[in-house]
Amino acid sequence: MRELVGHLVSRRVREYFSESPIAVTPRPTVYPPASIGQLEALEQRAGQAIELDYREFLTLTDGLEGLPFALLGCHDWEPGGLGEAAKEFTAMLVECGTPEDVGIPPGAALLPVAVNSDRSAGILLIDTAGFADERFWLTGEGDSFFFRTFSDVLHHLRDSDVSGLRETLDREA
């Protein structure tokens, strides 16, 4: 995880400084690691266990900005944080019935872990209750892809290779 996050950050920093003028896109921002108490509070908020790779990510940096999506950390759930935008995006999805349309069971716990700047796309941690291996759902702007781990999400953000990804969850009987 450390190597993957380091690669994402260093690439984004190089891109940021190569732009003319600087600051056309968001500045890459890395945060201090989340504490054990913050992780426990996030699990309470999520209503589900935090996936292991996402937990490890949060112990390296409590969020990461400057990518196509702001990757949320525990601090983003404080009043005025990006968690509010992500929560609005999630509420809109649920209101429209989108989770059920792609195979997520009604009432499944959804925790936004990323949101883009205009709140038109996000990545959510889903509690699949064991019926599917995938734990993350990237959705918005016409996309819907599922990932097993947060590392898979980060690899996708790094390489944008979407071949072989599931677009819906099939409930296993």
Side-chain angles (χ1 to χ4, degrees), residues 36-87:
I36 297 297
Q38 287 174 305
L39 292 169
E40 289 171 355
L42 184 62
E43 275 194 338
Q44 288 289 340
R45 171 181 289 284
Q48 61 180 302
I50 300 300
E51 188 265 344
L52 294 177
D53 286 351
Y54 185 52
R55 177 181 288 278
E56 184 178 355
F57 167 80
L58 294 173
T59 65
L60 296 172
T61 175
D62 187 25
L64 180 61
E65 295 180 32
L67 300 171
F69 292 90
L71 301 177
L72 304 178
C74 299
H75 74 277
D76 288 305
W77 294 100
E78 295 169 4
L82 287 174
E84 291 178 2
K87 189 175 175 181

Side-chain angles (χ1 to χ4, degrees), residues 1 16 18 22 24 31 40-42 46 51-52 64-66 69 78 83-84 98 113 115 118 130 132 137 145 153 173:
M1 180 62 63
Y16 178 78
S18 70
I22 292 179
V24 172
Y31 293 92
E40 289 171 355
L42 184 62
E51 188 265 344
L52 294 177
L64 180 61
E65 295 180 32
F69 292 90
E78 295 169 4
E84 291 178 2
T98 306
V113 298
V115 66
D118 65 0
W137 175 36
F145 302 111
V153 170

Side-chain angles (χ1 to χ4, degrees), residues 118-163:
D118 65 0
R119 302 175 189 170
S120 62
I123 301 170
L124 297 103
L125 173 65
I126 51 176
D127 184 1
T128 59
F131 79 84
D133 290 334
E134 289 80 5
R135 292 288 315 272
F136 292 91
W137 175 36
L138 183 156
T139 186
E141 299 181 346
D143 290 330
S144 181
F145 302 111
F146 289 91
F147 303 88
R148 288 179 183 220
T149 67
F150 192 68
S151 288
D152 294 339
V153 170
L154 295 179
H155 281 289
H156 172 73
L157 292 176
R158 183 183 73 187
D159 300 329
S160 296
D161 179 13
V162 294
S163 62

Side-chain angles (χ1 to χ4, degrees), residues 158-173:
R158 183 183 73 187
D159 300 329
S160 296
D161 179 13
V162 294
S163 62
L165 293 176
R166 289 174 57 173
E167 295 181 7
T168 61
L169 286 181
D170 298 319
R171 295 185 187 156
E172 297 175 4

